[in-house]
PDB file of all heavy atoms in Angstrom:
ATOM      1  N   SER A   1       0.814  -1.199  -0.012  1.00 88.00           N
ATOM      2  CA  SER A   1      -0.001   0.007   0.003  1.00 88.00           C
ATOM      3  C   SER A   1       0.878   1.252  -0.001  1.00 88.00           C
ATOM      4  O   SER A   1       1.522   1.560   1.008  1.00 88.00           O
ATOM      5  CB  SER A   1      -0.909  -0.014   1.245  1.00 88.00           C
ATOM      6  OG  SER A   1      -1.465   1.268   1.439  1.00 88.00           O
ATOM      7  N   PRO A   2       0.873   2.039  -1.114  1.00 89.00           N
ATOM      8  CA  PRO A   2       1.654   3.316  -1.082  1.00 89.00           C
ATOM      9  C   PRO A   2       1.116   4.264  -0.079  1.00 89.00           C
ATOM     10  O   PRO A   2       1.853   5.076   0.469  1.00 89.00           O
ATOM     11  CB  PRO A   2       1.489   3.783  -2.524  1.00 89.00           C
ATOM     12  CG  PRO A   2       0.311   3.072  -3.084  1.00 89.00           C
ATOM     13  CD  PRO A   2       0.272   1.750  -2.370  1.00 89.00           C
ATOM     14  N   GLY A   3      -0.186   4.212   0.211  1.00 87.00           N
ATOM     15  CA  GLY A   3      -0.775   5.091   1.215  1.00 87.00           C
ATOM     16  C   GLY A   3      -0.172   4.825   2.586  1.00 87.00           C
ATOM     17  O   GLY A   3       0.158   5.761   3.340  1.00 87.00           O
ATOM     18  N   MET A   4      -0.005   3.555   2.941  1.00 87.00           N
ATOM     19  CA  MET A   4       0.629   3.170   4.214  1.00 87.00           C
ATOM     20  C   MET A   4       2.100   3.621   4.229  1.00 87.00           C
ATOM     21  O   MET A   4       2.583   4.174   5.230  1.00 87.00           O
ATOM     22  CB  MET A   4       0.545   1.674   4.446  1.00 87.00           C
ATOM     23  CG  MET A   4      -0.883   1.168   4.625  1.00 87.00           C
ATOM     24  SD  MET A   4      -1.459   1.557   6.294  1.00 87.00           S
ATOM     25  CE  MET A   4      -2.882   0.478   6.388  1.00 87.00           C
ATOM     26  N   LEU A   5       2.805   3.349   3.176  1.00 93.00           N
ATOM     27  CA  LEU A   5       4.244   3.672   3.120  1.00 93.00           C
ATOM     28  C   LEU A   5       4.530   5.145   3.249  1.00 93.00           C
ATOM     29  O   LEU A   5       5.581   5.531   3.789  1.00 93.00           O
ATOM     30  CB  LEU A   5       4.825   3.151   1.816  1.00 93.00           C
ATOM     31  CG  LEU A   5       5.018   1.607   1.714  1.00 93.00           C
ATOM     32  CD1 LEU A   5       5.433   1.222   0.332  1.00 93.00           C
ATOM     33  CD2 LEU A   5       6.070   1.127   2.745  1.00 93.00           C
ATOM     34  N   LYS A   6       3.601   5.989   2.833  1.00 91.00           N
ATOM     35  CA  LYS A   6       3.775   7.426   2.942  1.00 91.00           C
ATOM     36  C   LYS A   6       3.981   7.795   4.437  1.00 91.00           C
ATOM     37  O   LYS A   6       4.881   8.619   4.751  1.00 91.00           O
ATOM     38  CB  LYS A   6       2.578   8.143   2.387  1.00 91.00           C
ATOM     39  CG  LYS A   6       2.646   9.669   2.513  1.00 91.00           C
ATOM     40  CD  LYS A   6       1.440  10.338   1.886  1.00 91.00           C
ATOM     41  CE  LYS A   6       0.158  10.075   2.706  1.00 91.00           C
ATOM     42  NZ  LYS A   6      -0.991  10.857   2.183  1.00 91.00           N
ATOM     43  N   TYR A   7       3.191   7.200   5.325  1.00 91.00           N
ATOM     44  CA  TYR A   7       3.301   7.486   6.746  1.00 91.00           C
ATOM     45  C   TYR A   7       4.513   6.800   7.340  1.00 91.00           C
ATOM     46  O   TYR A   7       5.195   7.361   8.227  1.00 91.00           O
ATOM     47  CB  TYR A   7       2.026   7.056   7.439  1.00 91.00           C
ATOM     48  CG  TYR A   7       0.863   7.906   7.077  1.00 91.00           C
ATOM     49  CD1 TYR A   7      -0.051   7.450   6.076  1.00 91.00           C
ATOM     50  CD2 TYR A   7       0.608   9.135   7.629  1.00 91.00           C
ATOM     51  CE1 TYR A   7      -1.120   8.219   5.689  1.00 91.00           C
ATOM     52  CE2 TYR A   7      -0.470   9.917   7.236  1.00 91.00           C
ATOM     53  CZ  TYR A   7      -1.339   9.456   6.261  1.00 91.00           C
ATOM     54  OH  TYR A   7      -2.420  10.219   5.876  1.00 91.00           O
ATOM     55  N   ALA A   8       4.840   5.619   6.863  1.00 95.00           N
ATOM     56  CA  ALA A   8       6.040   4.911   7.374  1.00 95.00           C
ATOM     57  C   ALA A   8       7.298   5.681   7.039  1.00 95.00           C
ATOM     58  O   ALA A   8       8.253   5.741   7.838  1.00 95.00           O
ATOM     59  CB  ALA A   8       6.097   3.514   6.794  1.00 95.00           C
ATOM     60  N   ARG A   9       7.357   6.287   5.894  1.00 95.00           N
ATOM     61  CA  ARG A   9       8.578   7.017   5.467  1.00 95.00           C
ATOM     62  C   ARG A   9       8.801   8.227   6.373  1.00 95.00           C
ATOM     63  O   ARG A   9       9.949   8.603   6.656  1.00 95.00           O
ATOM     64  CB  ARG A   9       8.498   7.391   4.015  1.00 95.00           C
ATOM     65  CG  ARG A   9       8.605   6.209   3.062  1.00 95.00           C
ATOM     66  CD  ARG A   9       8.841   6.616   1.613  1.00 95.00           C
ATOM     67  NE  ARG A   9       9.143   5.475   0.799  1.00 95.00           N
ATOM     68  CZ  ARG A   9       8.237   4.862   0.009  1.00 95.00           C
ATOM     69  NH1 ARG A   9       7.028   5.348  -0.086  1.00 95.00           N
ATOM     70  NH2 ARG A   9       8.598   3.778  -0.646  1.00 95.00           N
ATOM     71  N   LYS A  10       7.719   8.844   6.852  1.00 92.00           N
ATOM     72  CA  LYS A  10       7.884   9.977   7.759  1.00 92.00           C
ATOM     73  C   LYS A  10       8.495   9.510   9.061  1.00 92.00           C
ATOM     74  O   LYS A  10       9.404  10.230   9.603  1.00 92.00           O
ATOM     75  CB  LYS A  10       6.522  10.650   8.051  1.00 92.00           C
ATOM     76  CG  LYS A  10       5.887  11.377   6.835  1.00 92.00           C
ATOM     77  CD  LYS A  10       4.535  11.939   7.175  1.00 92.00           C
ATOM     78  CE  LYS A  10       3.908  12.617   5.987  1.00 92.00           C
ATOM     79  NZ  LYS A  10       2.576  13.154   6.282  1.00 92.00           N
ATOM     80  N   LYS A  11       8.085   8.377   9.586  1.00 92.00           N
ATOM     81  CA  LYS A  11       8.672   7.835  10.800  1.00 92.00           C
ATOM     82  C   LYS A  11      10.125   7.422  10.586  1.00 92.00           C
ATOM     83  O   LYS A  11      10.989   7.622  11.443  1.00 92.00           O
ATOM     84  CB  LYS A  11       7.867   6.651  11.317  1.00 92.00           C
ATOM     85  CG  LYS A  11       6.416   6.988  11.740  1.00 92.00           C
ATOM     86  CD  LYS A  11       5.737   5.752  12.263  1.00 92.00           C
ATOM     87  CE  LYS A  11       4.324   6.036  12.757  1.00 92.00           C
ATOM     88  NZ  LYS A  11       3.358   6.231  11.674  1.00 92.00           N
ATOM     89  N   ALA A  12      10.397   6.824   9.424  1.00 95.00           N
ATOM     90  CA  ALA A  12      11.736   6.308   9.147  1.00 95.00           C
ATOM     91  C   ALA A  12      12.794   7.437   9.023  1.00 95.00           C
ATOM     92  O   ALA A  12      13.965   7.238   9.241  1.00 95.00           O
ATOM     93  CB  ALA A  12      11.741   5.490   7.833  1.00 95.00           C
ATOM     94  N   SER A  13      12.349   8.619   8.691  1.00 92.00           N
ATOM     95  CA  SER A  13      13.275   9.732   8.445  1.00 92.00           C
ATOM     96  C   SER A  13      14.068  10.124   9.691  1.00 92.00           C
ATOM     97  O   SER A  13      15.167  10.733   9.590  1.00 92.00           O
ATOM     98  CB  SER A  13      12.506  10.941   7.903  1.00 92.00           C
ATOM     99  OG  SER A  13      11.607  11.433   8.872  1.00 92.00           O
ATOM    100  N   SER A  14      13.555   9.762  10.871  1.00 91.00           N
ATOM    101  CA  SER A  14      14.243  10.154  12.119  1.00 91.00           C
ATOM    102  C   SER A  14      14.957   8.959  12.773  1.00 91.00           C
ATOM    103  O   SER A  14      15.444   9.092  13.898  1.00 91.00           O
ATOM    104  CB  SER A  14      13.247  10.739  13.107  1.00 91.00           C
ATOM    105  OG  SER A  14      12.225   9.813  13.414  1.00 91.00           O
ATOM    106  N   MET A  15      15.004   7.802  12.104  1.00 93.00           N
ATOM    107  CA  MET A  15      15.626   6.635  12.708  1.00 93.00           C
ATOM    108  C   MET A  15      17.159   6.672  12.611  1.00 93.00           C
ATOM    109  O   MET A  15      17.693   7.280  11.720  1.00 93.00           O
ATOM    110  CB  MET A  15      15.072   5.368  12.046  1.00 93.00           C
ATOM    111  CG  MET A  15      13.586   5.133  12.321  1.00 93.00           C
ATOM    112  SD  MET A  15      12.964   3.663  11.528  1.00 93.00           S
ATOM    113  CE  MET A  15      13.861   2.361  12.432  1.00 93.00           C
ATOM    114  N   GLN A  16      17.791   5.993  13.570  1.00 91.00           N
ATOM    115  CA  GLN A  16      19.220   6.001  13.670  1.00 91.00           C
ATOM    116  C   GLN A  16      19.843   4.734  13.024  1.00 91.00           C
ATOM    117  O   GLN A  16      21.047   4.542  13.155  1.00 91.00           O
ATOM    118  CB  GLN A  16      19.634   6.081  15.142  1.00 91.00           C
ATOM    119  CG  GLN A  16      19.108   7.284  15.884  1.00 91.00           C
ATOM    120  CD  GLN A  16      19.561   8.580  15.225  1.00 91.00           C
ATOM    121  OE1 GLN A  16      20.756   8.771  14.972  1.00 91.00           O
ATOM    122  NE2 GLN A  16      18.652   9.499  14.987  1.00 91.00           N
ATOM    123  N   ILE A  17      19.081   3.906  12.380  1.00 95.00           N
ATOM    124  CA  ILE A  17      19.577   2.685  11.719  1.00 95.00           C
ATOM    125  C   ILE A  17      19.256   2.804  10.225  1.00 95.00           C
ATOM    126  O   ILE A  17      18.368   3.533   9.829  1.00 95.00           O
ATOM    127  CB  ILE A  17      18.941   1.428  12.298  1.00 95.00           C
ATOM    128  CG1 ILE A  17      17.398   1.422  12.057  1.00 95.00           C
ATOM    129  CG2 ILE A  17      19.274   1.277  13.789  1.00 95.00           C
ATOM    130  CD1 ILE A  17      16.772   0.073  12.326  1.00 95.00           C
ATOM    131  N   PRO A  18      19.975   2.053   9.390  1.00 95.00           N
ATOM    132  CA  PRO A  18      19.681   2.072   7.929  1.00 95.00           C
ATOM    133  C   PRO A  18      18.293   1.456   7.682  1.00 95.00           C
ATOM    134  O   PRO A  18      18.007   0.364   8.125  1.00 95.00           O
ATOM    135  CB  PRO A  18      20.769   1.211   7.339  1.00 95.00           C
ATOM    136  CG  PRO A  18      21.848   1.094   8.382  1.00 95.00           C
ATOM    137  CD  PRO A  18      21.175   1.252   9.687  1.00 95.00           C
ATOM    138  N   VAL A  19      17.474   2.178   6.942  1.00 97.00           N
ATOM    139  CA  VAL A  19      16.116   1.715   6.628  1.00 97.00           C
ATOM    140  C   VAL A  19      15.836   1.917   5.136  1.00 97.00           C
ATOM    141  O   VAL A  19      16.089   3.000   4.596  1.00 97.00           O
ATOM    142  CB  VAL A  19      15.048   2.485   7.427  1.00 97.00           C
ATOM    143  CG1 VAL A  19      13.667   1.943   7.129  1.00 97.00           C
ATOM    144  CG2 VAL A  19      15.340   2.444   8.933  1.00 97.00           C
ATOM    145  N   GLN A  20      15.297   0.895   4.514  1.00 97.00           N
ATOM    146  CA  GLN A  20      14.804   0.974   3.142  1.00 97.00           C
ATOM    147  C   GLN A  20      13.374   0.515   3.104  1.00 97.00           C
ATOM    148  O   GLN A  20      13.072  -0.580   3.539  1.00 97.00           O
ATOM    149  CB  GLN A  20      15.668   0.127   2.205  1.00 97.00           C
ATOM    150  CG  GLN A  20      15.241   0.203   0.733  1.00 97.00           C
ATOM    151  CD  GLN A  20      16.094  -0.711  -0.170  1.00 97.00           C
ATOM    152  OE1 GLN A  20      16.675  -1.682   0.323  1.00 97.00           O
ATOM    153  NE2 GLN A  20      16.079  -0.386  -1.444  1.00 97.00           N
ATOM    154  N   LEU A  21      12.478   1.376   2.617  1.00 98.00           N
ATOM    155  CA  LEU A  21      11.083   1.023   2.519  1.00 98.00           C
ATOM    156  C   LEU A  21      10.683   0.902   1.054  1.00 98.00           C
ATOM    157  O   LEU A  21      10.949   1.810   0.265  1.00 98.00           O
ATOM    158  CB  LEU A  21      10.249   2.078   3.221  1.00 98.00           C
ATOM    159  CG  LEU A  21      10.476   2.258   4.704  1.00 98.00           C
ATOM    160  CD1 LEU A  21       9.638   3.374   5.299  1.00 98.00           C
ATOM    161  CD2 LEU A  21      10.205   0.973   5.479  1.00 98.00           C
ATOM    162  N   VAL A  22      10.022  -0.188   0.689  1.00 97.00           N
ATOM    163  CA  VAL A  22       9.781  -0.506  -0.697  1.00 97.00           C
ATOM    164  C   VAL A  22       8.310  -0.971  -0.858  1.00 97.00           C
ATOM    165  O   VAL A  22       7.802  -1.733  -0.033  1.00 97.00           O
ATOM    166  CB  VAL A  22      10.688  -1.648  -1.211  1.00 97.00           C
ATOM    167  CG1 VAL A  22      10.503  -1.914  -2.671  1.00 97.00           C
ATOM    168  CG2 VAL A  22      12.161  -1.338  -0.900  1.00 97.00           C
ATOM    169  N   GLU A  23       7.667  -0.506  -1.923  1.00 95.00           N
ATOM    170  CA  GLU A  23       6.325  -1.000  -2.253  1.00 95.00           C
ATOM    171  C   GLU A  23       6.495  -2.370  -2.912  1.00 95.00           C
ATOM    172  O   GLU A  23       7.120  -2.527  -3.953  1.00 95.00           O
ATOM    173  CB  GLU A  23       5.628  -0.045  -3.216  1.00 95.00           C
ATOM    174  CG  GLU A  23       4.173  -0.453  -3.549  1.00 95.00           C
ATOM    175  CD  GLU A  23       3.476   0.503  -4.472  1.00 95.00           C
ATOM    176  OE1 GLU A  23       3.904   1.648  -4.593  1.00 95.00           O
ATOM    177  OE2 GLU A  23       2.479   0.107  -5.102  1.00 95.00           O
ATOM    178  N   MET A  24       5.912  -3.405  -2.277  1.00 95.00           N
ATOM    179  CA  MET A  24       6.105  -4.768  -2.763  1.00 95.00           C
ATOM    180  C   MET A  24       4.999  -5.654  -2.178  1.00 95.00           C
ATOM    181  O   MET A  24       4.509  -5.436  -1.078  1.00 95.00           O
ATOM    182  CB  MET A  24       7.485  -5.286  -2.366  1.00 95.00           C
ATOM    183  CG  MET A  24       7.884  -6.577  -3.043  1.00 95.00           C
ATOM    184  SD  MET A  24       9.546  -7.194  -2.475  1.00 95.00           S
ATOM    185  CE  MET A  24      10.605  -5.792  -3.016  1.00 95.00           C
ATOM    186  N   ASP A  25       4.632  -6.687  -2.952  1.00 94.00           N
ATOM    187  CA  ASP A  25       3.597  -7.629  -2.552  1.00 94.00           C
ATOM    188  C   ASP A  25       4.244  -8.785  -1.778  1.00 94.00           C
ATOM    189  O   ASP A  25       5.164  -9.439  -2.247  1.00 94.00           O
ATOM    190  CB  ASP A  25       2.903  -8.161  -3.821  1.00 94.00           C
ATOM    191  CG  ASP A  25       1.686  -9.033  -3.494  1.00 94.00           C
ATOM    192  OD1 ASP A  25       1.493  -9.437  -2.342  1.00 94.00           O
ATOM    193  OD2 ASP A  25       0.929  -9.288  -4.445  1.00 94.00           O
ATOM    194  N   ALA A  26       3.720  -9.060  -0.594  1.00 95.00           N
ATOM    195  CA  ALA A  26       4.282 -10.125   0.253  1.00 95.00           C
ATOM    196  C   ALA A  26       4.165 -11.511  -0.406  1.00 95.00           C
ATOM    197  O   ALA A  26       4.898 -12.428  -0.075  1.00 95.00           O
ATOM    198  CB  ALA A  26       3.549 -10.177   1.619  1.00 95.00           C
ATOM    199  N   GLN A  27       3.226 -11.650  -1.325  1.00 95.00           N
ATOM    200  CA  GLN A  27       2.987 -12.930  -1.994  1.00 95.00           C
ATOM    201  C   GLN A  27       3.990 -13.168  -3.122  1.00 95.00           C
ATOM    202  O   GLN A  27       4.065 -14.296  -3.638  1.00 95.00           O
ATOM    203  CB  GLN A  27       1.568 -12.942  -2.597  1.00 95.00           C
ATOM    204  CG  GLN A  27       0.460 -12.775  -1.549  1.00 95.00           C
ATOM    205  CD  GLN A  27      -0.879 -12.433  -2.218  1.00 95.00           C
ATOM    206  OE1 GLN A  27      -1.800 -13.228  -2.145  1.00 95.00           O
ATOM    207  NE2 GLN A  27      -0.970 -11.274  -2.807  1.00 95.00           N
ATOM    208  N   ASN A  28       4.726 -12.138  -3.484  1.00 95.00           N
ATOM    209  CA  ASN A  28       5.668 -12.223  -4.640  1.00 95.00           C
ATOM    210  C   ASN A  28       6.797 -11.255  -4.410  1.00 95.00           C
ATOM    211  O   ASN A  28       6.907 -10.225  -5.078  1.00 95.00           O
ATOM    212  CB  ASN A  28       4.927 -11.958  -5.939  1.00 95.00           C
ATOM    213  CG  ASN A  28       5.782 -12.204  -7.169  1.00 95.00           C
ATOM    214  OD1 ASN A  28       6.765 -12.970  -7.125  1.00 95.00           O
ATOM    215  ND2 ASN A  28       5.475 -11.505  -8.242  1.00 95.00           N
ATOM    216  N   MET A  29       7.710 -11.625  -3.523  1.00 97.00           N
ATOM    217  CA  MET A  29       8.808 -10.718  -3.177  1.00 97.00           C
ATOM    218  C   MET A  29       9.934 -10.715  -4.166  1.00 97.00           C
ATOM    219  O   MET A  29      10.192 -11.767  -4.815  1.00 97.00           O
ATOM    220  CB  MET A  29       9.355 -11.061  -1.795  1.00 97.00           C
ATOM    221  CG  MET A  29       8.375 -10.917  -0.668  1.00 97.00           C
ATOM    222  SD  MET A  29       9.205 -11.137   0.922  1.00 97.00           S
ATOM    223  CE  MET A  29       7.882 -11.828   1.931  1.00 97.00           C
ATOM    224  N   GLU A  30      10.568  -9.581  -4.349  1.00 97.00           N
ATOM    225  CA  GLU A  30      11.623  -9.429  -5.355  1.00 97.00           C
ATOM    226  C   GLU A  30      13.012  -9.583  -4.751  1.00 97.00           C
ATOM    227  O   GLU A  30      13.955  -8.948  -5.209  1.00 97.00           O
ATOM    228  CB  GLU A  30      11.468  -8.078  -6.039  1.00 97.00           C
ATOM    229  CG  GLU A  30      10.094  -7.888  -6.738  1.00 97.00           C
ATOM    230  CD  GLU A  30       9.823  -6.464  -7.108  1.00 97.00           C
ATOM    231  OE1 GLU A  30      10.769  -5.631  -7.090  1.00 97.00           O
ATOM    232  OE2 GLU A  30       8.650  -6.163  -7.393  1.00 97.00           O
ATOM    233  N   PHE A  31      13.136 -10.396  -3.724  1.00 98.00           N
ATOM    234  CA  PHE A  31      14.444 -10.655  -3.080  1.00 98.00           C
ATOM    235  C   PHE A  31      14.926 -12.027  -3.426  1.00 98.00           C
ATOM    236  O   PHE A  31      14.139 -12.955  -3.686  1.00 98.00           O
ATOM    237  CB  PHE A  31      14.315 -10.532  -1.533  1.00 98.00           C
ATOM    238  CG  PHE A  31      13.740  -9.234  -1.073  1.00 98.00           C
ATOM    239  CD1 PHE A  31      12.512  -9.185  -0.400  1.00 98.00           C
ATOM    240  CD2 PHE A  31      14.425  -8.031  -1.277  1.00 98.00           C
ATOM    241  CE1 PHE A  31      12.011  -7.977   0.059  1.00 98.00           C
ATOM    242  CE2 PHE A  31      13.923  -6.843  -0.812  1.00 98.00           C
ATOM    243  CZ  PHE A  31      12.718  -6.806  -0.176  1.00 98.00           C
ATOM    244  N   ALA A  32      16.238 -12.196  -3.415  1.00 98.00           N
ATOM    245  CA  ALA A  32      16.864 -13.510  -3.647  1.00 98.00           C
ATOM    246  C   ALA A  32      16.584 -14.406  -2.484  1.00 98.00           C
ATOM    247  O   ALA A  32      16.296 -13.978  -1.370  1.00 98.00           O
ATOM    248  CB  ALA A  32      18.347 -13.329  -3.859  1.00 98.00           C
ATOM    249  N   ASP A  33      16.707 -15.709  -2.677  1.00 98.00           N
ATOM    250  CA  ASP A  33      16.568 -16.702  -1.634  1.00 98.00           C
ATOM    251  C   ASP A  33      17.610 -16.395  -0.557  1.00 98.00           C
ATOM    252  O   ASP A  33      18.711 -15.916  -0.850  1.00 98.00           O
ATOM    253  CB  ASP A  33      16.819 -18.105  -2.165  1.00 98.00           C
ATOM    254  CG  ASP A  33      15.786 -18.557  -3.182  1.00 98.00           C
ATOM    255  OD1 ASP A  33      14.820 -17.840  -3.386  1.00 98.00           O
ATOM    256  OD2 ASP A  33      15.943 -19.688  -3.699  1.00 98.00           O
ATOM    257  N   ASP A  34      17.272 -16.692   0.696  1.00 98.00           N
ATOM    258  CA  ASP A  34      18.239 -16.641   1.810  1.00 98.00           C
ATOM    259  C   ASP A  34      18.860 -15.266   2.001  1.00 98.00           C
ATOM    260  O   ASP A  34      20.063 -15.122   2.220  1.00 98.00           O
ATOM    261  CB  ASP A  34      19.307 -17.688   1.633  1.00 98.00           C
ATOM    262  CG  ASP A  34      18.761 -19.090   1.380  1.00 98.00           C
ATOM    263  OD1 ASP A  34      17.636 -19.379   1.823  1.00 98.00           O
ATOM    264  OD2 ASP A  34      19.473 -19.908   0.757  1.00 98.00           O
ATOM    265  N   SER A  35      18.076 -14.210   1.891  1.00 98.00           N
ATOM    266  CA  SER A  35      18.592 -12.851   1.950  1.00 98.00           C
ATOM    267  C   SER A  35      18.668 -12.222   3.325  1.00 98.00           C
ATOM    268  O   SER A  35      19.451 -11.304   3.571  1.00 98.00           O
ATOM    269  CB  SER A  35      17.713 -11.910   1.064  1.00 98.00           C
ATOM    270  OG  SER A  35      17.840 -12.211  -0.281  1.00 98.00           O
ATOM    271  N   PHE A  36      17.866 -12.714   4.274  1.00 98.00           N
ATOM    272  CA  PHE A  36      17.703 -12.007   5.548  1.00 98.00           C
ATOM    273  C   PHE A  36      17.931 -12.936   6.748  1.00 98.00           C
ATOM    274  O   PHE A  36      17.553 -14.108   6.743  1.00 98.00           O
ATOM    275  CB  PHE A  36      16.288 -11.423   5.648  1.00 98.00           C
ATOM    276  CG  PHE A  36      15.994 -10.381   4.609  1.00 98.00           C
ATOM    277  CD1 PHE A  36      15.334 -10.733   3.420  1.00 98.00           C
ATOM    278  CD2 PHE A  36      16.417  -9.065   4.743  1.00 98.00           C
ATOM    279  CE1 PHE A  36      15.074  -9.795   2.415  1.00 98.00           C
ATOM    280  CE2 PHE A  36      16.157  -8.122   3.768  1.00 98.00           C
ATOM    281  CZ  PHE A  36      15.479  -8.492   2.605  1.00 98.00           C
TER     282      PHE A  36
END
């Protein structure tokens, strides 16, 4: 949901750790196997 991410990005802007927020479907992720 881009609408949800808009609010998440505002919160992420003040975080002290590296954060990347991406619009993506949980049913079809664009990450390689064994990434996390």
Side-chain angles (χ1 to χ4, degrees):
S1 166
M4 292 285 196
L5 286 171
K6 178 178 70 173
Y7 293 97
R9 289 192 173 102
K10 291 179 182 177
K11 294 183 178 76
S13 64
S14 61
M15 292 180 67
Q16 302 301 310
I17 63 168
V19 182
Q20 181 182 22
L21 299 177
V22 184
E23 184 179 341
M24 192 181 298
D25 188 345
Q27 302 164 113
N28 185 26
M29 297 188 210
E30 300 166 15
F31 305 115
D33 295 357
D34 307 334
S35 292
F36 297 96

